[in-house]
Amino acid sequence: MARRFFDDQEFQAGVATELGANASHHIGKVLRMAEGDELVVFNGHGGEWSARILAVGKKAVTVEPLAFVADDRTAPLAVTVALPMIKGERMDYAIQKATEMGAAQIVVLDTERCEVRLKGERQEKKLGQWQQVAISACEQCGLNRPPQVTGVRSLKDWLIGDLPDLRLIAHPGKSPFSPAALKGTAELALLTGPEGGFSDEELRAAEENGFVAFALGNRVLRAETAPVALLAALWAWESSD
Protein backbone atom coordinates (compact mmCIF):
# COMPACT_ATOMS: atom_id res chain seq x y z
CA MET A 1 0.00 0.00 0.00
CA ALA A 2 1.16 3.52 -0.81
CA ARG A 3 2.03 5.68 2.18
CA ARG A 4 -0.49 8.38 3.05
CA PHE A 5 0.20 12.03 3.92
CA PHE A 6 -2.01 14.90 5.09
CA ASP A 7 -1.51 18.38 3.68
CA ASP A 8 -4.12 21.12 4.11
CA GLN A 9 -4.31 22.51 0.59
CA GLU A 10 -6.22 21.97 -2.64
CA PHE A 11 -4.96 19.38 -5.12
CA GLN A 12 -5.61 19.16 -8.87
CA ALA A 13 -4.86 16.31 -11.22
CA GLY A 14 -1.64 16.90 -13.15
CA VAL A 15 -0.76 20.11 -11.29
CA ALA A 16 2.62 20.00 -9.53
CA THR A 17 2.11 20.81 -5.84
CA GLU A 18 4.69 21.67 -3.21
CA LEU A 19 3.79 20.05 0.08
CA GLY A 20 3.95 21.82 3.44
CA ALA A 21 6.72 21.54 5.99
CA ASN A 22 5.35 18.60 8.01
CA ALA A 23 4.59 16.34 5.06
CA SER A 24 7.79 17.33 3.26
CA HIS A 25 9.94 16.60 6.30
CA HIS A 26 8.32 13.22 6.85
CA ILE A 27 8.66 12.20 3.20
CA GLY A 28 12.12 13.55 2.49
CA LYS A 29 13.98 13.45 5.81
CA VAL A 30 12.33 10.67 7.82
CA LEU A 31 11.25 8.16 5.18
CA ARG A 32 13.81 9.25 2.56
CA MET A 33 11.41 8.69 -0.29
CA ALA A 34 12.64 9.57 -3.77
CA GLU A 35 11.53 11.01 -7.10
CA GLY A 36 9.08 8.68 -8.81
CA ASP A 37 7.81 7.07 -5.61
CA GLU A 38 4.05 6.70 -5.35
CA LEU A 39 2.04 8.01 -2.39
CA VAL A 40 -1.41 9.19 -1.35
CA VAL A 41 -2.25 12.73 -0.23
CA PHE A 42 -5.40 14.05 1.44
CA ASN A 43 -6.45 17.46 2.76
CA GLY A 44 -9.11 16.66 5.35
CA HIS A 45 -12.07 17.69 3.19
CA GLY A 46 -12.96 14.15 2.14
CA GLY A 47 -11.44 11.75 -0.33
CA GLU A 48 -7.80 11.37 -1.29
CA TRP A 49 -5.41 11.63 -4.24
CA SER A 50 -3.03 9.07 -5.65
CA ALA A 51 0.18 10.91 -6.50
CA ARG A 52 3.85 10.53 -7.31
CA ILE A 53 6.89 12.47 -6.19
CA LEU A 54 8.34 14.87 -8.76
CA ALA A 55 11.17 16.28 -6.66
CA VAL A 56 12.63 16.02 -3.17
CA GLY A 57 14.24 19.34 -2.26
CA LYS A 58 16.08 20.46 0.85
CA LYS A 59 13.03 22.26 2.21
CA ALA A 60 10.04 20.89 0.31
CA VAL A 61 8.73 17.89 -1.61
CA THR A 62 6.84 18.40 -4.87
CA VAL A 63 4.22 15.89 -5.95
CA GLU A 64 1.93 15.39 -8.93
CA PRO A 65 -1.64 14.40 -7.99
CA LEU A 66 -2.85 11.76 -10.44
CA ALA A 67 -6.40 10.66 -9.61
CA PHE A 68 -9.00 11.50 -6.98
CA VAL A 69 -10.72 8.79 -4.93
CA ALA A 70 -13.92 10.03 -3.29
CA ASP A 71 -14.07 7.43 -0.49
CA ASP A 72 -13.44 9.23 2.82
CA ARG A 73 -14.26 6.28 5.16
CA THR A 74 -15.97 8.55 7.69
CA ALA A 75 -17.81 6.78 10.51
CA PRO A 76 -21.63 6.81 10.11
CA LEU A 77 -22.10 8.28 13.59
CA ALA A 78 -20.47 11.64 14.36
CA VAL A 79 -19.08 11.24 17.88
CA THR A 80 -17.61 14.14 19.84
CA VAL A 81 -15.21 12.65 22.38
CA ALA A 82 -14.62 14.87 25.42
CA LEU A 83 -11.77 13.72 27.61
CA PRO A 84 -9.70 15.25 30.40
CA MET A 85 -6.01 16.05 30.19
CA ILE A 86 -4.07 12.89 31.01
CA LYS A 87 -0.45 12.61 32.08
CA GLY A 88 2.31 12.21 29.52
CA GLU A 89 2.14 9.88 26.55
CA ARG A 90 -1.14 8.40 27.71
CA MET A 91 -2.89 11.51 26.38
CA ASP A 92 -1.28 10.97 22.98
CA TYR A 93 -2.47 7.35 23.14
CA ALA A 94 -6.07 8.35 23.94
CA ILE A 95 -6.20 10.84 21.05
CA GLN A 96 -4.47 8.49 18.62
CA LYS A 97 -6.79 5.58 19.35
CA ALA A 98 -9.96 7.69 19.52
CA THR A 99 -9.04 8.98 16.05
CA GLU A 100 -8.45 5.47 14.73
CA MET A 101 -11.84 4.48 16.16
CA GLY A 102 -13.55 7.23 14.18
CA ALA A 103 -14.08 10.15 16.56
CA ALA A 104 -15.40 13.13 14.60
CA GLN A 105 -14.17 15.71 17.12
CA ILE A 106 -12.04 15.60 20.27
CA VAL A 107 -12.47 18.16 23.06
CA VAL A 108 -9.87 18.40 25.82
CA LEU A 109 -11.33 19.25 29.22
CA ASP A 110 -10.12 20.54 32.57
CA THR A 111 -11.90 18.66 35.37
CA GLU A 112 -11.60 18.84 39.16
CA ARG A 113 -9.38 15.76 39.43
CA CYS A 114 -7.18 16.30 36.39
CA GLU A 115 -3.55 15.70 37.28
CA VAL A 116 -2.33 18.04 34.53
CA ARG A 117 -2.85 21.79 34.22
CA LEU A 118 -1.84 23.74 31.12
CA LYS A 119 -2.04 27.46 30.37
CA GLY A 120 -0.94 29.99 27.79
CA GLU A 121 1.81 29.09 25.35
CA ARG A 122 2.29 25.61 26.81
CA GLN A 123 -1.37 24.84 26.29
CA GLU A 124 -1.31 26.02 22.68
CA LYS A 125 1.81 23.96 22.01
CA LYS A 126 0.18 20.86 23.44
CA LEU A 127 -2.99 21.35 21.39
CA GLY A 128 -0.84 21.58 18.26
CA GLN A 129 0.95 18.38 19.26
CA TRP A 130 -2.32 16.55 19.90
CA GLN A 131 -3.72 17.71 16.56
CA GLN A 132 -0.66 16.27 14.85
CA VAL A 133 -1.19 13.00 16.73
CA ALA A 134 -4.71 12.85 15.27
CA ILE A 135 -3.43 13.63 11.77
CA SER A 136 -0.75 10.95 11.98
CA ALA A 137 -3.36 8.45 13.14
CA CYS A 138 -5.48 9.25 10.07
CA GLU A 139 -2.46 8.83 7.80
CA GLN A 140 -1.87 5.39 9.27
CA CYS A 141 -5.41 4.03 9.48
CA GLY A 142 -6.89 5.27 6.19
CA LEU A 143 -9.26 7.98 7.41
CA ASN A 144 -9.38 11.15 5.33
CA ARG A 145 -10.97 13.60 7.77
CA PRO A 146 -8.83 14.20 10.87
CA PRO A 147 -10.90 15.15 13.92
CA GLN A 148 -10.34 18.67 15.16
CA VAL A 149 -8.73 18.68 18.60
CA THR A 150 -9.99 21.67 20.60
CA GLY A 151 -9.81 22.95 24.19
CA VAL A 152 -8.73 23.23 26.85
CA ARG A 153 -12.21 23.93 28.23
CA SER A 154 -13.61 23.63 31.72
CA LEU A 155 -16.07 20.78 32.09
CA LYS A 156 -18.69 23.18 33.47
CA ASP A 157 -18.54 25.42 30.40
CA TRP A 158 -18.57 22.51 27.99
CA LEU A 159 -21.62 20.90 29.59
CA ILE A 160 -23.78 23.97 28.97
CA GLY A 161 -22.59 24.42 25.38
CA ASP A 162 -24.20 23.39 22.10
CA LEU A 163 -24.08 19.58 22.28
CA PRO A 164 -25.82 16.74 20.41
CA ASP A 165 -29.12 15.51 21.80
CA LEU A 166 -27.67 12.11 22.73
CA ARG A 167 -25.10 12.57 25.52
CA LEU A 168 -23.22 9.75 27.23
CA ILE A 169 -20.91 9.82 30.23
CA ALA A 170 -18.46 7.03 31.04
CA HIS A 171 -19.68 6.07 34.50
CA PRO A 172 -21.66 3.17 35.96
CA GLY A 173 -25.31 4.15 36.04
CA LYS A 174 -28.54 3.09 37.69
CA SER A 175 -29.49 1.14 34.58
CA PRO A 176 -27.40 0.04 31.56
CA PHE A 177 -27.35 2.18 28.45
CA SER A 178 -29.69 0.84 25.77
CA PRO A 179 -28.23 0.48 22.25
CA ALA A 180 -31.74 1.21 20.96
CA ALA A 181 -30.99 4.89 21.69
CA LEU A 182 -28.60 4.87 18.71
CA LYS A 183 -31.37 4.15 16.22
CA GLY A 184 -31.84 7.15 13.95
CA THR A 185 -29.08 9.10 15.73
CA ALA A 186 -26.58 10.99 13.57
CA GLU A 187 -24.36 12.43 16.29
CA LEU A 188 -23.61 12.10 19.99
CA ALA A 189 -21.29 13.36 22.71
CA LEU A 190 -19.17 10.93 24.74
CA LEU A 191 -17.69 12.25 27.99
CA THR A 192 -14.94 10.28 29.76
CA GLY A 193 -13.27 11.01 33.08
CA PRO A 194 -9.79 11.68 34.50
CA GLU A 195 -7.51 9.32 36.43
CA GLY A 196 -9.29 10.22 39.70
CA GLY A 197 -12.78 9.99 38.24
CA PHE A 198 -15.49 12.64 38.26
CA SER A 199 -16.45 14.42 41.46
CA ASP A 200 -20.01 14.06 42.76
CA GLU A 201 -20.69 17.64 41.73
CA GLU A 202 -19.46 16.98 38.18
CA LEU A 203 -21.61 13.87 37.91
CA ARG A 204 -24.68 15.83 39.04
CA ALA A 205 -23.95 18.60 36.56
CA ALA A 206 -23.60 16.08 33.72
CA GLU A 207 -26.87 14.40 34.68
CA GLU A 208 -28.65 17.75 34.92
CA ASN A 209 -27.43 18.54 31.40
CA GLY A 210 -28.84 15.38 29.88
CA PHE A 211 -25.93 12.93 30.10
CA VAL A 212 -26.74 9.23 30.45
CA ALA A 213 -24.30 6.86 32.17
CA PHE A 214 -22.54 4.48 29.78
CA ALA A 215 -20.25 1.75 31.15
CA LEU A 216 -18.94 -1.67 30.11
CA GLY A 217 -20.01 -3.80 33.03
CA ASN A 218 -18.70 -2.89 36.46
CA ARG A 219 -15.08 -2.44 35.43
CA VAL A 220 -13.30 0.85 35.98
CA LEU A 221 -11.37 1.67 32.81
CA ARG A 222 -8.21 3.74 32.73
CA ALA A 223 -8.63 7.31 31.51
CA GLU A 224 -6.84 6.57 28.22
CA THR A 225 -8.67 3.26 27.69
CA ALA A 226 -12.26 4.44 28.23
CA PRO A 227 -12.80 6.43 25.02
CA VAL A 228 -11.36 3.64 22.87
CA ALA A 229 -13.33 0.82 24.49
CA LEU A 230 -16.59 2.78 24.52
CA LEU A 231 -16.24 3.85 20.88
CA ALA A 232 -15.68 0.21 19.93
CA ALA A 233 -18.87 -0.74 21.77
CA LEU A 234 -20.82 2.02 20.04
CA TRP A 235 -19.69 0.90 16.58
CA ALA A 236 -20.55 -2.71 17.37
CA TRP A 237 -24.05 -1.75 18.47
CA GLU A 238 -24.52 0.71 15.60
CA SER A 239 -23.52 -1.85 12.95
CA SER A 240 -25.73 -4.57 14.44
CA ASP A 241 -28.88 -2.47 14.10
Side-chain angles (χ1 to χ4, degrees):
M1 293 179 62
R3 288 185 175 272
R4 308 176 70 255
F5 301 93
F6 171 83
D7 200 74
D8 187 13
Q9 62 175 301
E10 295 299 323
F11 297 101
Q12 290 182 286
V15 178
T17 305
E18 187 176 284
L19 298 179
N22 286 340
S24 292
H25 176 77
H26 194 193
I27 292 167
K29 303 296 184 183
V30 178
L31 299 176
R32 298 188 178 279
M33 297 176 72
E35 180 181 333
D37 286 352
E38 296 183 350
L39 69 165
V40 170
V41 292
F42 64 102
N43 59 14
H45 303 299
E48 61 190 22
W49 289 85
S50 62
R52 65 167 168 253
I53 298 175
L54 295 179
V56 179
K58 291 183 177 180
K59 294 185 177 181
V61 170
T62 302
V63 302
E64 178 188 11
L66 301 174
F68 180 70
V69 179
D71 187 3
D72 66 15
R73 308 178 191 99
T74 299
L77 186 62
V79 181
T80 295
V81 174
L83 71 162
M85 288 180 285
I86 307 169
K87 278 185 177 180
E89 294 182 356
R90 290 186 294 155
M91 186 66 175
D92 290 2
Y93 175 91
I95 290 173
Q96 179 190 67
K97 301 309 177 186
T99 299
E100 291 178 22
M101 292 303 298
Q105 182 180 8
I106 298 172
V107 181
V108 181
L109 298 176
D110 183 11
T111 66
E112 285 186 30
R113 295 174 181 168
C114 276
E115 297 186 13
V116 181
R117 294 286 187 269
L118 299 175
K119 291 184 179 180
E121 184 177 338
R122 187 168 174 235
Q123 177 175 298
E124 292 304 313
K125 183 178 180 180
K126 274 295 185 182
L127 283 170
Q129 174 188 319
W130 295 330
Q131 184 66 65
Q132 189 56 50
V133 167
I135 288 170
S136 296
C138 284
E139 291 176 336
Q140 182 275 324
C141 73
L143 292 171
N144 289 326
R145 294 181 185 269
Q148 184 179 13
V149 181
T150 63
V152 175
R153 299 186 61 183
S154 72
L155 174 60
K156 180 180 179 180
D157 288 344
W158 183 75
L159 287 174
I160 61 175
D162 185 15
L163 300 176
D165 291 338
L166 181 55
R167 306 170 186 185
L168 306 178
I169 181 171
H171 189 76
K174 297 176 183 177
S175 58
F177 169 72
S178 172
L182 298 176
K183 187 175 182 180
T185 300
E187 58 181 347
L188 65 85
L190 174 61
L191 171 61
T192 66
E195 289 97 331
F198 293 111
S199 69
D200 291 341
E201 183 179 346
E202 288 173 331
L203 290 171
R204 283 195 297 270
E207 185 176 325
E208 289 170 359
N209 283 282
F211 278 79
V212 178
F214 175 28
L216 299 178
N218 295 320
R219 292 175 298 279
V220 178
L221 302 178
R222 292 177 66 96
E224 70 272 23
T225 306
V228 186
L230 297 176
L231 282 169
L234 287 174
W235 299 142
W237 286 336
E238 196 276 339
S239 62
S240 65
D241 185 17

